[in-house]
Amino acid sequence: MNTIADNPFEYSADNKRYHTYNHYLKKRFGQKVMKISLNVDLGCPNRDGTKGTGGCKFCSAYLSGEFAGDPCDDIRTQFESVRAKMNEKWSRGLYIPYFQAGSNTYAPVERLKVMYETALGLENCVGLSIATRADCIDEEKAELLGDIAKKTYLTVELGLQTVHDETALAMNRCHTFSDFLAGYELLRRHGVNVCVHIIDGLPQETHDMMLETARQLAQLDLHSVKIHLLHVLKNTPLAQMYEQGEFRTLEMQEYVGIVCDQLELLPKEFVIQRVTGDGARDELIAPLWSLKKFCVMNEIDKELGRRNSYQGIKFAK
Ligand code: SF4
């Protein structure tokens, strides 16, 4: 293992060779900051028929919010219950409420305003994160988000998953790369930080295709990126495809290699919020190795050390 002294990467205070979210938050706020996942159940246009039905093939009944609060509870109750669980691990810190499950700009602006302001008024909250689809942002919503961004540390998280429209079509995303770019541009025009979610290991995607997704993101003005591994979850259309042998999931070393290649392509200033996803243990069908999240993260650190490489080393404008 390389030591800190060997590490040439400027956005790190440890052995990490990529710009971790922890590092960013500690630098910005001077102490531990925790994201508190909330579920306000606004639904998703890719399930209710507005954009499509059935949802993305990999999305679970929890609308990608497996670890969020209980949607039956109000925002404050959810916040307090998730915070209490986190405080078992870290006794004190600051918080960022995170509207995680579903598409959290998919409601009239008046409702969104109340929702966001309620979250921002919670004790020791220093920012806000909002996950949504880029096609759920319009001028009026971007204006609201722009106003909030002037007052606090706001990040809007857009699910892109891949820049390849053929993959998105096969996954029933009902959303193209140009839809994503339209939402992204609207947000940036209003001064809103954008975080992009991508998934590695989508059916029929080659190594080169996944790297191309990173290359295209590298050209944008992003705040952060979340790199996820494709999880096959129970009771999803993807689970059926998997059981019928239509695709295979990535092996751990394969995934580690892809993530390291992608990190090398992304500018060093981009904050990397995740290098692997959390699949709910009871829901996960494959790949089961991904349950050892710290092992995967260690392998990524080891691989970057072995290459003597770091985030941004291959970034090209
Ligand atoms: S857009 Fe998001 S919430 Fe909606 S179906 Fe797809 S992954 Fe699930």
Side-chain angles (χ1 to χ4, degrees), residues 60-74:
S60 71
Y62 299 99
L63 301 184
S64 302
E66 281 82 354
F67 300 99
D70 183 340
C72 300
D73 293 334
D74 62 23

Side-chain angles (χ1 to χ4, degrees), residues 4-245:
I4 297 167
D6 298 328
N7 187 359
F9 190 61
E10 65 198 271
Y11 294 99
S12 174
D14 53 21
N15 68 332
K16 296 286 179 190
R17 288 166 173 260
Y18 57 94
H19 192 167
T20 66
Y21 192 40
N22 250 343
H23 179 78
Y24 174 82
L25 292 173
K26 269 200 194 131
K27 280 258 167 204
R28 181 166 181 153
F29 296 104
Q31 58 177 297
K32 179 80 189 162
V33 181
M34 291 166 260
K35 252 171 136 170
I36 304 285
S37 296
L38 305 169
N39 184 352
V40 284
D41 200 15
L42 295 185
C44 170
N46 198 20
R47 286 192 180 267
D48 67 11
T50 305
K51 292 294 287 195
T53 51
C56 306
K57 290 194 175 174
F58 47 77
C59 184
S60 71
Y62 299 99
L63 301 184
S64 302
E66 281 82 354
F67 300 99
D70 183 340
C72 300
D73 293 334
D74 62 23
I75 289 174
R76 177 173 292 278
T77 312
Q78 285 189 44
F79 175 81
E80 278 165 7
S81 108
V82 178
R83 183 179 60 174
K85 276 186 215 143
M86 300 201 85
N87 284 352
E88 288 167 14
K89 213 162 160 192
W90 296 282
S91 58
R92 62 217 319 260
L94 302 170
Y95 304 98
I96 296 177
Y98 173 31
F99 290 104
Q100 180 183 22
S103 304
N104 292 286
T105 55
Y106 189 46
V109 164
E110 302 69 41
R111 178 167 177 201
L112 296 177
K113 193 165 187 279
V114 173
M115 230 170 89
Y116 303 155
E117 282 176 357
T118 304
L120 276 172
L122 295 165
E123 197 192 353
N124 287 334
C125 288
V126 289
L128 189 60
S129 286
I130 300 170
T132 193
R133 286 169 61 101
D135 57 5
C136 292
I137 310 273
D138 58 21
E139 186 65 42
E140 204 188 1
K141 290 172 186 171
E143 210 171 292
L144 167 69
L145 294 165
D147 287 345
I148 296 172
K150 287 189 193 102
K151 295 185 261 187
T152 192
Y153 167 54
L154 171 69
T155 310
V156 173
E157 303 195 11
L158 299 179
L160 170 64
Q161 322 315 355
T162 173
V163 298
H164 303 286
D165 286 346
E166 64 271 32
T167 312
L169 185 67
M171 288 292 99
N172 193 42
R173 290 273 300 143
C174 298
H175 176 287
T176 61
F177 185 40
S178 53
D179 290 332
F180 162 81
L181 288 174
Y184 154 80
E185 275 157 18
L186 210 44
L187 291 169
R188 290 306 298 133
R189 203 149 34 76
H190 286 273
V192 179
N193 290 325
V194 175
C195 170
V196 180
H197 295 203
I198 59 172
I199 299 181
D200 288 334
L202 288 163
Q204 316 310 331
E205 286 227 333
T206 61
H207 188 122
D208 281 353
M209 288 169 83
M210 294 180 242
L211 264 47
E212 184 55 23
T213 292
R215 256 185 227 108
Q216 298 270 346
L217 292 189
Q219 303 308 313
L220 303 178
D221 180 20
L222 298 180
H223 171 272
S224 45
V225 177
K226 280 186 178 175
I227 304 175
H228 289 98
L229 164 70
L230 180 73
H231 282 137
V232 181
L233 301 176
K234 287 179 189 164
N235 303 314
T236 58
L238 192 74
Q240 266 181 340
M241 289 172 66
Y242 181 72
E243 272 144 25
Q244 285 160 9

